[in-house]
Amino acid sequence: MIVVMNNGANRQDIDQVLDRLQSLGFKIHLSEGVERTIIGAIGDKTILNEVALEAMPGVEKVVPILQPYKLVSREFKEHSVVKVGDLEFGGKALHVMAGPCAVESREQLLETAESVAKSGATVLRGGAFKPRTSPYAFQGMEEEGLKLLAEAREKTGLKIVTEVVDPRNVELVARYSDILQIGARNMQNFFLLKEVANIDKPVVLKRGQSATVEEWLMAAEYLMAGGNYNVILCERGIRTFETFLRNTLDLSAVPVAKNLSHLPVIVDPSHATGKWQYVKPMAMAAIAAGADGLLIEVHPNPAQALCDGPQSLNPENFDSLMNDIRKMAAIMDRSV
Ligand code: PEP
Ligand code: MN
């Protein structure tokens, strides 16, 4: 439930309510807005009938949150802006995360980083841990790859997003990156979610390829319930009966997730389509649907890529995508 304090509530009123809730065993999540304070309280709501919270000084109303996701819900908070250094996700500016599927070499990464930065990306992506469908396929450069990402940040000023796949590596990945990515296959890896919840770094949470919107939001709830409020949702396509493309981009999930939650939502048209030719049209559609940013795979030489070459844009096509995105952003009263 949420306890909405009235405009006139002072510090002492708020502290009294917090003390009361904590003494009853509720877990507290405080949202201190400019106008009013909202207290999210997670716990056994049957006890509430015995404590007249609404009679306490400064309390305007007590509202149960009906959805299974509480902290993620828009009832708890109107809108969240997730800050990554000086970048704001969920503000007026759209942010494009771009880079190779996997970090393959120093040359490949630095060349990509420099070109995507020049085209207007603000975040560099690149996988260092790449468990693949086949155990015989390239598995990623691991810590060596993380070091290269950090070097690319030094050289270009881009922020770094990279995937963490193993709860044992969360601290290691967080040491080198600005944003942690939880991949589609791990969206319901609850042990991983709990570890990432303990880290003070923003998270891109990809939607599982077979997850409903509600399951996706429940995964975000794990992160927030564990104390990490800086969650960026990422729609990356789901499995449907249609097999022509790698996945089916569920664009309607963008306005739906933004309606049900207060979190920023970005779209990954690369994994959604699996074919580079369709990345730009779906990127344009994502911005039109209200996405707060994009995640795009770019490789200097897609034909030689060790991973996801068919869906990777070359630098020239990425530059063209950025130019078109700027026009679409302007229509949506956003900027890139
Ligand atoms: C990725 O972004 O590198 C990736 C593996 O994506 P997904 O988890 O969406 O398949
Ligand atoms: Mn990929």
Side-chain angles (χ1 to χ4, degrees):
M1 57 151 179
I2 52 178
V3 181
V4 182
M5 302 301 289
N6 62 36
N7 289 347
N10 59 31
R11 192 71 249 169
Q12 194 188 350
D13 298 337
I14 296 167
D15 286 344
Q16 267 174 7
V17 174
L18 294 179
D19 286 349
R20 173 72 67 87
L21 287 166
Q22 267 157 348
S23 70
L24 292 166
F26 282 87
K27 204 158 176 233
I28 300 300
H29 300 267
L30 201 55
S31 165
E32 288 183 286
V34 193
E35 303 232 320
R36 60 185 69 222
T37 293
I38 292 177
I39 302 167
I42 311 285
D44 179 5
K45 60 177 185 282
T46 57
I47 317 174
L48 275 180
N49 301 331
E50 296 153 33
V51 280
L53 270 183
E54 260 162 342
M56 293 183 73
V59 174
E60 184 171 302
K61 57 183 174 178
V62 178
V63 193
I65 298 179
L66 301 173
Q67 287 88 353
Y69 42 88
K70 312 288 180 192
L71 304 169
V72 165
S73 160
R74 272 193 73 200
E75 289 174 67
F76 176 60
K77 198 171 173 193
E78 184 66 25
H79 183 73
S80 276
V81 170
V82 173
K83 291 200 170 128
V84 183
D86 54 350
L87 308 182
E88 292 189 344
F89 284 81
K92 186 172 162 124
L94 303 173
H95 292 289
V96 179
M97 306 179 176
C101 181
V103 180
E104 297 170 9
S105 70
R106 189 162 182 274
E107 297 66 39
Q108 172 245 20
L109 190 70
L110 294 184
E111 187 183 336
T112 314
E114 265 152 32
S115 87
V116 300
K118 213 155 96 206
S119 297
T122 46
V123 180
L124 176 67
R125 63 146 289 140
F129 295 89
K130 297 296 309 177
R132 311 282 295 286
T133 304
S134 162
Y136 309 116
F138 171 63
Q139 302 281 312
M141 290 181 75
E142 306 192 343
E143 189 168 0
E144 216 38 54
L146 297 174
K147 288 185 180 157
L148 292 175
L149 286 164
E151 185 183 343
R153 169 177 45 209
E154 284 301 304
K155 290 223 154 75
T156 59
L158 292 168
K159 305 283 184 230
I160 300 298
V161 60
T162 193
E163 183 173 347
V164 56
V165 296
D166 185 331
R168 293 168 298 186
N169 286 343
V170 171
E171 286 203 14
L172 172 76
V173 176
R175 217 181 301 142
Y176 291 97
S177 58
D178 302 293
I179 309 171
L180 294 171
Q181 179 174 316
I182 293 180
R185 287 154 198 80
N186 272 315
M187 188 205 82
Q188 283 188 318
N189 181 341
F190 299 115
F191 295 106
L192 179 64
L193 294 172
K194 285 182 188 182
E195 280 304 314
V196 171
N198 288 327
I199 293 281
D200 187 21
K201 282 272 157 89
V203 188
V204 165
L205 176 64
K206 289 202 159 190
R207 179 180 179 185
Q209 58 268 63
S210 302
T212 63
V213 169
E214 186 167 301
E215 287 163 343
W216 186 27
L217 298 180
M218 289 306 287
E221 186 79 12
Y222 262 88
L223 294 168
M224 295 187 74
N228 192 332
Y229 295 91
N230 295 310
V231 181
I232 301 165
L233 298 169
C234 179
E235 162 62 41
R236 48 76 74 204
I238 52 173
R239 286 242 168 126
T240 67
F241 61 83
E242 175 55 68
T243 54
F244 180 72
L245 295 179
R246 188 172 180 181
N247 290 289
T248 299
L249 180 56
D250 182 9
L251 268 185
S252 56
V254 176
V256 169
K258 288 180 76 92
N259 202 18
L260 297 175
S261 85
H262 50 87
L263 299 171
V265 182
I266 66 168
V267 169
D268 169 357
S270 303
H271 292 89
T273 61
K275 291 196 170 99
W276 73 268
Q277 296 91 329
Y278 303 110
V279 170
K280 181 160 53 166
M282 297 324 284
M284 297 288 273
I287 302 303
D292 297 297
L294 297 167
L295 192 151
I296 310 274
E297 286 191 342
V298 180
H299 194 284
N301 186 354
Q304 301 286 315
L306 295 182
C307 180
D308 285 352
Q311 69 196 33
S312 298
L313 298 184
N314 63 28
E316 192 185 337
N317 287 330
F318 178 67
D319 196 59
S320 155
L321 176 144
M322 290 299 291
N323 284 333
D324 285 5
I325 286 303
R326 276 187 201 100
K327 294 178 212 154
M328 183 59 88
I331 293 172
M332 298 300 292
D333 199 23
R334 312 284 296 259
S335 60
V336 180

